[in-house]
Amino acid sequence: MGGLNVPFSGRRRLDRTPPWYYAALCALALVTVAPLAVMVFNSLKDPAEIGRNPLGPPSMPHVANFLEAWERGGFATTMRNSAVITVGTVLGVCLISGLAAYALGRLNVPGGDALLVYLFVGTTIPGQLFVIPLFFLWV
C-alpha cells in the first residue's frame, strides 16, 4: 500500500453526530411521509368515514374504491396506451442514444466536443429553471 505514510494505531475514531441532526431528519421524514400516509388512508375509506376521520387510519379497509376508480376512469385502456408509448419511447431512445454515443465516443466527429459539453450542461441544469421563462413567454 504505497503512498500513505499514516501510522495505524489500531483504534478508529468514531465521529459522533449530534442528536439534533437525527431529530431534524426524523421531522423532515415525517413531514414528507405524512401526506402520503393520509392519502393512502383516505383511499381505503368510504366517503362517510373520510368525513368523520379525515386524517386517521381506516377502521376497516374499503378496497372497492380502487375497483370503482379503475372502471370509471377507464384505466385498462389508459394503462395499455401508456405501456405502448413507454415501450416505444424507451426502445427508440436506447437505439438513437446508443448510435449517437458510439459516434461521439469512437469517431472523430467535427464539433463532437462542443456537442458533449452542450449535452452535459443541458442535463445538469434543472428543468425548473426553464419553467418561469416559458410561463412569461406563453403569457
Side-chain angles (χ1 to χ4, degrees):
M1 303 246 281
L4 290 177
N5 248 347
V6 179
F8 180 70
S9 66
R11 292 188 324 169
R12 275 207 238 160
R13 183 176 154 237
L14 294 176
D15 288 334
R16 297 282 180 193
T17 305
W20 64 272
Y21 279 13
Y22 292 109
L25 288 174
C26 288
L28 287 173
L30 183 66
V31 166
T32 304
V33 173
L36 220 92
V38 169
M39 183 182 68
V40 170
F41 289 162
N42 286 340
S43 71
L44 295 170
K45 297 178 187 176
D46 60 349
E49 189 177 359
I50 290 176
R52 286 190 312 266
N53 181 16
L55 298 178
S59 60
M60 184 170 170
H62 190 69
V63 185
N65 293 336
F66 294 106
L67 299 174
E68 183 179 346
W70 185 271
E71 289 172 5
R72 271 195 194 177
F75 282 110
T77 304
T78 305
M79 291 295 285
R80 185 178 63 246
N81 291 344
S82 295
V84 167
I85 289 172
T86 302
V87 168
T89 301
V90 167
L91 291 176
V93 166
C94 286
L95 177 71
I96 292 171
S97 63
L99 293 173
Y102 179 80
L104 289 173
R106 290 289 191 181
L107 305 176
N108 191 9
V109 178
D113 291 337
L115 182 61
L116 284 174
V117 169
Y118 171 75
L119 290 174
F120 178 71
V121 170
T123 56
T124 56
I125 295 175
Q128 291 86 350
L129 289 178
F130 300 112
V131 172
I132 294 173
L134 282 175
F135 172 77
F136 285 116
L137 182 70
W138 282 92
V139 170

